[in-house]
mmCIF file of all heavy atoms in Angstrom:
data_model
loop_
_atom_site.group_PDB
_atom_site.id
_atom_site.type_symbol
_atom_site.label_atom_id
_atom_site.label_comp_id
_atom_site.label_asym_id
_atom_site.label_seq_id
_atom_site.Cartn_x
_atom_site.Cartn_y
_atom_site.Cartn_z
ATOM 1 N N GLU N 21 73.294 -19.449 30.093
ATOM 2 C CA GLU N 21 74.139 -18.444 29.441
ATOM 3 C C GLU N 21 75.513 -19.028 29.075
ATOM 4 O O GLU N 21 76.011 -18.844 27.965
ATOM 5 C CB GLU N 21 74.313 -17.240 30.367
ATOM 6 C CG GLU N 21 75.066 -16.087 29.735
ATOM 7 C CD GLU N 21 75.184 -14.886 30.680
ATOM 8 O OE1 GLU N 21 74.573 -14.880 31.768
ATOM 9 O OE2 GLU N 21 75.900 -13.952 30.304
ATOM 10 N N VAL N 22 76.115 -19.758 30.002
ATOM 11 C CA VAL N 22 77.423 -20.374 29.753
ATOM 12 C C VAL N 22 77.305 -21.415 28.641
ATOM 13 O O VAL N 22 78.121 -21.450 27.710
ATOM 14 C CB VAL N 22 77.980 -21.007 31.051
ATOM 15 C CG1 VAL N 22 79.194 -21.887 30.767
ATOM 16 C CG2 VAL N 22 78.325 -19.927 32.068
ATOM 17 N N LEU N 23 76.281 -22.267 28.724
ATOM 18 C CA LEU N 23 76.084 -23.299 27.700
ATOM 19 C C LEU N 23 75.839 -22.694 26.324
ATOM 20 O O LEU N 23 76.372 -23.177 25.324
ATOM 21 C CB LEU N 23 74.927 -24.215 28.089
ATOM 22 C CG LEU N 23 75.236 -25.189 29.224
ATOM 23 C CD1 LEU N 23 73.966 -25.797 29.772
ATOM 24 C CD2 LEU N 23 76.196 -26.265 28.756
ATOM 25 N N SER N 24 75.072 -21.625 26.269
ATOM 26 C CA SER N 24 74.806 -20.954 25.003
ATOM 27 C C SER N 24 76.103 -20.450 24.378
ATOM 28 O O SER N 24 76.323 -20.583 23.172
ATOM 29 C CB SER N 24 73.826 -19.797 25.217
ATOM 30 O OG SER N 24 73.612 -19.114 24.014
ATOM 31 N N GLY N 25 76.976 -19.910 25.209
ATOM 32 C CA GLY N 25 78.256 -19.414 24.709
ATOM 33 C C GLY N 25 79.158 -20.509 24.176
ATOM 34 O O GLY N 25 79.837 -20.342 23.162
ATOM 35 N N VAL N 26 79.167 -21.640 24.841
ATOM 36 C CA VAL N 26 80.023 -22.757 24.429
ATOM 37 C C VAL N 26 79.433 -23.473 23.213
ATOM 38 O O VAL N 26 80.140 -23.765 22.248
ATOM 39 C CB VAL N 26 80.210 -23.757 25.596
ATOM 40 C CG1 VAL N 26 80.868 -25.051 25.125
ATOM 41 C CG2 VAL N 26 81.019 -23.129 26.710
ATOM 42 N N LEU N 27 78.147 -23.766 23.260
ATOM 43 C CA LEU N 27 77.519 -24.574 22.212
ATOM 44 C C LEU N 27 77.236 -23.800 20.925
ATOM 45 O O LEU N 27 77.084 -24.401 19.869
ATOM 46 C CB LEU N 27 76.225 -25.189 22.742
ATOM 47 C CG LEU N 27 76.380 -26.158 23.918
ATOM 48 C CD1 LEU N 27 75.010 -26.618 24.402
ATOM 49 C CD2 LEU N 27 77.254 -27.341 23.548
ATOM 50 N N GLY N 28 77.132 -22.480 21.015
ATOM 51 C CA GLY N 28 76.862 -21.684 19.822
ATOM 52 C C GLY N 28 75.533 -22.059 19.195
ATOM 53 O O GLY N 28 74.515 -22.170 19.867
ATOM 54 N N ASN N 29 75.549 -22.309 17.888
ATOM 55 C CA ASN N 29 74.321 -22.631 17.156
ATOM 56 C C ASN N 29 73.663 -23.931 17.618
ATOM 57 O O ASN N 29 72.466 -24.114 17.456
ATOM 58 C CB ASN N 29 74.591 -22.701 15.652
ATOM 59 C CG ASN N 29 74.912 -21.339 15.079
ATOM 60 O OD1 ASN N 29 74.549 -20.308 15.639
ATOM 61 N ND2 ASN N 29 75.636 -21.327 13.966
ATOM 62 N N SER N 30 74.445 -24.833 18.197
ATOM 63 C CA SER N 30 73.867 -26.107 18.645
ATOM 64 C C SER N 30 73.106 -25.969 19.964
ATOM 65 O O SER N 30 72.459 -26.915 20.400
ATOM 66 C CB SER N 30 74.957 -27.185 18.793
ATOM 67 O OG SER N 30 75.819 -26.870 19.858
ATOM 68 N N TYR N 31 73.145 -24.781 20.573
ATOM 69 C CA TYR N 31 72.405 -24.562 21.813
ATOM 70 C C TYR N 31 70.904 -24.791 21.604
ATOM 71 O O TYR N 31 70.228 -25.306 22.486
ATOM 72 C CB TYR N 31 72.671 -23.154 22.360
ATOM 73 C CG TYR N 31 71.960 -22.869 23.661
ATOM 74 C CD1 TYR N 31 72.346 -23.503 24.839
ATOM 75 C CD2 TYR N 31 70.895 -21.977 23.711
ATOM 76 C CE1 TYR N 31 71.684 -23.259 26.033
ATOM 77 C CE2 TYR N 31 70.231 -21.718 24.901
ATOM 78 C CZ TYR N 31 70.634 -22.364 26.062
ATOM 79 O OH TYR N 31 69.972 -22.128 27.243
ATOM 80 N N VAL N 32 70.398 -24.461 20.434
ATOM 81 C CA VAL N 32 68.980 -24.684 20.114
ATOM 82 C C VAL N 32 68.656 -26.172 20.214
ATOM 83 O O VAL N 32 67.626 -26.562 20.767
ATOM 84 C CB VAL N 32 68.644 -24.140 18.699
ATOM 85 C CG1 VAL N 32 67.234 -24.502 18.281
ATOM 86 C CG2 VAL N 32 68.856 -22.637 18.649
ATOM 87 N N ALA N 33 69.548 -27.014 19.700
ATOM 88 C CA ALA N 33 69.342 -28.466 19.769
ATOM 89 C C ALA N 33 69.411 -28.940 21.212
ATOM 90 O O ALA N 33 68.626 -29.800 21.627
ATOM 91 C CB ALA N 33 70.389 -29.187 18.921
ATOM 92 N N TYR N 34 70.316 -28.375 21.999
ATOM 93 C CA TYR N 34 70.431 -28.729 23.416
ATOM 94 C C TYR N 34 69.129 -28.413 24.158
ATOM 95 O O TYR N 34 68.614 -29.254 24.892
ATOM 96 C CB TYR N 34 71.622 -27.988 24.047
ATOM 97 C CG TYR N 34 71.665 -28.097 25.542
ATOM 98 C CD1 TYR N 34 72.169 -29.235 26.156
ATOM 99 C CD2 TYR N 34 71.189 -27.068 26.352
ATOM 100 C CE1 TYR N 34 72.193 -29.351 27.547
ATOM 101 C CE2 TYR N 34 71.210 -27.173 27.736
ATOM 102 C CZ TYR N 34 71.716 -28.321 28.320
ATOM 103 O OH TYR N 34 71.727 -28.427 29.694
ATOM 104 N N VAL N 35 68.600 -27.208 23.947
ATOM 105 C CA VAL N 35 67.361 -26.803 24.616
ATOM 106 C C VAL N 35 66.210 -27.719 24.195
ATOM 107 O O VAL N 35 65.426 -28.170 25.034
ATOM 108 C CB VAL N 35 67.033 -25.316 24.333
ATOM 109 C CG1 VAL N 35 65.638 -24.954 24.818
ATOM 110 C CG2 VAL N 35 68.075 -24.413 24.983
ATOM 111 N N GLN N 36 66.118 -28.014 22.905
ATOM 112 C CA GLN N 36 65.055 -28.891 22.423
ATOM 113 C C GLN N 36 65.173 -30.274 23.067
ATOM 114 O O GLN N 36 64.181 -30.853 23.513
ATOM 115 C CB GLN N 36 65.096 -29.016 20.903
ATOM 116 C CG GLN N 36 63.988 -29.908 20.355
ATOM 117 C CD GLN N 36 63.999 -30.002 18.842
ATOM 118 O OE1 GLN N 36 64.338 -29.044 18.154
ATOM 119 N NE2 GLN N 36 63.640 -31.167 18.328
ATOM 120 N N LEU N 37 66.398 -30.803 23.130
ATOM 121 C CA LEU N 37 66.601 -32.111 23.749
ATOM 122 C C LEU N 37 66.182 -32.086 25.211
ATOM 123 O O LEU N 37 65.449 -32.968 25.672
ATOM 124 C CB LEU N 37 68.069 -32.540 23.629
ATOM 125 C CG LEU N 37 68.418 -33.844 24.337
ATOM 126 C CD1 LEU N 37 67.687 -35.026 23.706
ATOM 127 C CD2 LEU N 37 69.919 -34.076 24.343
ATOM 128 N N MET N 38 66.632 -31.083 25.957
ATOM 129 C CA MET N 38 66.307 -31.005 27.386
ATOM 130 C C MET N 38 64.795 -30.869 27.612
ATOM 131 O O MET N 38 64.234 -31.519 28.494
ATOM 132 C CB MET N 38 67.048 -29.846 28.055
ATOM 133 C CG MET N 38 68.521 -30.093 28.224
ATOM 134 S SD MET N 38 68.815 -31.524 29.281
ATOM 135 C CE MET N 38 70.353 -32.110 28.657
ATOM 136 N N ASN N 39 64.143 -30.042 26.799
ATOM 137 C CA ASN N 39 62.690 -29.882 26.930
ATOM 138 C C ASN N 39 61.961 -31.194 26.639
ATOM 139 O O ASN N 39 60.976 -31.528 27.295
ATOM 140 C CB ASN N 39 62.175 -28.783 26.007
ATOM 141 C CG ASN N 39 62.562 -27.395 26.484
ATOM 142 O OD1 ASN N 39 62.877 -27.187 27.653
ATOM 143 N ND2 ASN N 39 62.559 -26.441 25.573
ATOM 144 N N THR N 40 62.457 -31.945 25.668
ATOM 145 C CA THR N 40 61.812 -33.205 25.285
ATOM 146 C C THR N 40 62.022 -34.280 26.348
ATOM 147 O O THR N 40 61.064 -34.916 26.789
ATOM 148 C CB THR N 40 62.364 -33.700 23.928
ATOM 149 O OG1 THR N 40 62.127 -32.685 22.941
ATOM 150 C CG2 THR N 40 61.689 -34.991 23.496
ATOM 151 N N ILE N 41 63.256 -34.476 26.781
ATOM 152 C CA ILE N 41 63.537 -35.599 27.692
ATOM 153 C C ILE N 41 63.014 -35.367 29.107
ATOM 154 O O ILE N 41 62.793 -36.319 29.842
ATOM 155 C CB ILE N 41 65.035 -35.970 27.737
ATOM 156 C CG1 ILE N 41 65.870 -34.834 28.320
ATOM 157 C CG2 ILE N 41 65.516 -36.419 26.365
ATOM 158 C CD1 ILE N 41 67.315 -35.181 28.592
ATOM 159 N N THR N 42 62.806 -34.105 29.486
ATOM 160 C CA THR N 42 62.275 -33.842 30.822
ATOM 161 C C THR N 42 60.749 -33.786 30.827
ATOM 162 O O THR N 42 60.143 -33.650 31.887
ATOM 163 C CB THR N 42 62.843 -32.530 31.406
ATOM 164 O OG1 THR N 42 62.541 -31.446 30.523
ATOM 165 C CG2 THR N 42 64.346 -32.629 31.617
ATOM 166 N N GLY N 43 60.139 -33.906 29.649
ATOM 167 C CA GLY N 43 58.681 -33.877 29.536
ATOM 168 C C GLY N 43 58.047 -35.193 29.963
ATOM 169 O O GLY N 43 58.722 -36.160 30.328
ATOM 170 N N GLU N 44 56.724 -35.235 29.881
ATOM 171 C CA GLU N 44 55.949 -36.383 30.350
ATOM 172 C C GLU N 44 56.269 -37.686 29.643
ATOM 173 O O GLU N 44 56.173 -38.755 30.235
ATOM 174 C CB GLU N 44 54.453 -36.086 30.213
ATOM 175 C CG GLU N 44 53.931 -35.145 31.268
ATOM 176 C CD GLU N 44 52.420 -34.980 31.186
ATOM 177 O OE1 GLU N 44 51.737 -35.934 30.777
ATOM 178 O OE2 GLU N 44 51.951 -33.882 31.532
ATOM 179 N N LYS N 45 56.660 -37.627 28.380
ATOM 180 C CA LYS N 45 56.913 -38.859 27.631
ATOM 181 C C LYS N 45 58.154 -39.596 28.143
ATOM 182 O O LYS N 45 58.167 -40.823 28.233
ATOM 183 C CB LYS N 45 57.066 -38.561 26.141
ATOM 184 C CG LYS N 45 57.316 -39.803 25.312
ATOM 185 C CD LYS N 45 57.331 -39.534 23.839
ATOM 186 C CE LYS N 45 57.568 -40.819 23.055
ATOM 187 N NZ LYS N 45 57.638 -40.597 21.633
ATOM 188 N N TYR N 46 59.204 -38.865 28.478
ATOM 189 C CA TYR N 46 60.470 -39.506 28.855
ATOM 190 C C TYR N 46 60.759 -39.469 30.357
ATOM 191 O O TYR N 46 61.384 -40.376 30.888
ATOM 192 C CB TYR N 46 61.637 -38.877 28.083
ATOM 193 C CG TYR N 46 61.546 -39.141 26.611
ATOM 194 C CD1 TYR N 46 60.979 -38.210 25.748
ATOM 195 C CD2 TYR N 46 62.011 -40.332 26.067
ATOM 196 C CE1 TYR N 46 60.882 -38.462 24.386
ATOM 197 C CE2 TYR N 46 61.909 -40.602 24.717
ATOM 198 C CZ TYR N 46 61.340 -39.660 23.872
ATOM 199 O OH TYR N 46 61.239 -39.909 22.536
ATOM 200 N N LEU N 47 60.396 -38.392 31.034
ATOM 201 C CA LEU N 47 60.581 -38.250 32.482
ATOM 202 C C LEU N 47 62.040 -38.425 32.930
ATOM 203 O O LEU N 47 62.312 -39.001 33.980
ATOM 204 C CB LEU N 47 59.688 -39.236 33.248
ATOM 205 C CG LEU N 47 58.189 -39.091 33.032
ATOM 206 C CD1 LEU N 47 57.443 -40.250 33.673
ATOM 207 C CD2 LEU N 47 57.688 -37.760 33.564
ATOM 208 N N LEU N 48 62.977 -37.940 32.116
ATOM 209 C CA LEU N 48 64.390 -38.040 32.475
ATOM 210 C C LEU N 48 64.798 -36.851 33.335
ATOM 211 O O LEU N 48 64.203 -35.778 33.265
ATOM 212 C CB LEU N 48 65.267 -38.112 31.228
ATOM 213 C CG LEU N 48 65.006 -39.288 30.279
ATOM 214 C CD1 LEU N 48 66.013 -39.286 29.144
ATOM 215 C CD2 LEU N 48 65.022 -40.617 31.007
ATOM 216 N N VAL N 49 65.839 -37.058 34.134
ATOM 217 C CA VAL N 49 66.325 -36.015 35.035
ATOM 218 C C VAL N 49 67.790 -35.725 34.715
ATOM 219 O O VAL N 49 68.658 -36.572 34.961
ATOM 220 C CB VAL N 49 66.190 -36.449 36.512
ATOM 221 C CG1 VAL N 49 66.733 -35.381 37.439
ATOM 222 C CG2 VAL N 49 64.740 -36.780 36.835
ATOM 223 N N PRO N 50 68.075 -34.532 34.157
ATOM 224 C CA PRO N 50 69.469 -34.160 33.899
ATOM 225 C C PRO N 50 70.070 -33.447 35.110
ATOM 226 O O PRO N 50 69.424 -32.603 35.717
ATOM 227 C CB PRO N 50 69.367 -33.207 32.700
ATOM 228 C CG PRO N 50 67.995 -32.629 32.787
ATOM 229 C CD PRO N 50 67.131 -33.621 33.529
#
């Protein structure tokens, strides 16, 4: 909720990035 408020329209890109990098292909931990 806080990130959505700060990032505005770019929150969609943030969510997409987090979903991608934490998935099986990348296995990153934020």
